[in-house]
Amino acid sequence: MRPPNMTALALTAGGSRGAYQAGVLQRIGEIPSLAEGPAPFDIITGASAGAINGAALAGYSARLQYGTARLAGLWAGLTADRVYRTGLSAMARNALRFAGDAALGRLLGGGRVQALLDAAPLRELLARELPLAGIGQAVAQRRLYALAVTATGYHSGKSYTFIQGRPGHPL
């Protein structure tokens, strides 16, 4: 069965694009006919930085203007130390692990390095700022048909798409 006509939003990857997207979404949230209502998107998809924006938009979908302002504020206050550990010891530790993987990966099994930089601060920031419980509420209250986020595995290079949506969605 084919779903009814829906409005979808696709948010692409790219670090700085995430900030641009947040700015555009904030302006959409300020449109008088939309500002006080829910987000007008039935389906939201995103990859990388777009996935962060998509998850925030879906989580805040009950209050478009509030949610888009929060998202724009998140990006406006973003600094390197809120994304990855910038201290010399953290960077040196990861560089040594990376060198060890490159030099001794076959002997040690490789794959110990999860990223070039320690992104623990980003995980903490997203855990604090993304209203993930709001996604399930939006689906349950039928404000959102589905959210799909795509991520790429660091070691495999494969893309993985995670979907949260109404029962019976096509994927």
Side-chain angles (χ1 to χ4, degrees), residues 37-161:
F41 309 106
D42 302 297
I43 299 170
I44 301 171
T45 67
S48 191
I52 293 169
N53 289 343
L57 184 59
Y60 286 122
S61 68
R63 299 170 51 202
L64 179 65
Q65 186 174 28
Y66 173 79
T68 57
R70 288 282 313 250
L71 181 60
L74 172 76
W75 281 96
L78 202 58
T79 56
D81 63 322
R82 293 182 80 193
V83 176
Y84 55 88
R85 297 209 191 283
T86 56
L88 184 60
S89 63
M91 295 178 87
R93 192 170 40 253
N94 231 31
L96 287 172
R97 285 187 190 129
F98 188 74
D101 262 4
L104 304 170
R106 285 201 150 136
L107 297 174
L108 299 176
R112 295 178 311 136
V113 175
Q114 298 299 310
L116 294 176
L117 299 170
D118 180 356
L122 178 61
R123 283 189 296 276
E124 294 162 7
L125 176 71
L126 295 178
R128 262 192 332 271
E129 298 291 331
L130 289 184
L132 299 180
I135 298 167
Q137 292 169 356
V139 171
Q141 295 170 359
R142 304 184 74 75
R143 283 191 317 273
L144 182 68
Y145 185 76
L147 168 70
V149 297
T150 300
T152 302
Y154 180 74
H155 292 291
S156 69
K158 293 180 181 178
S159 292
Y160 300 91
T161 300

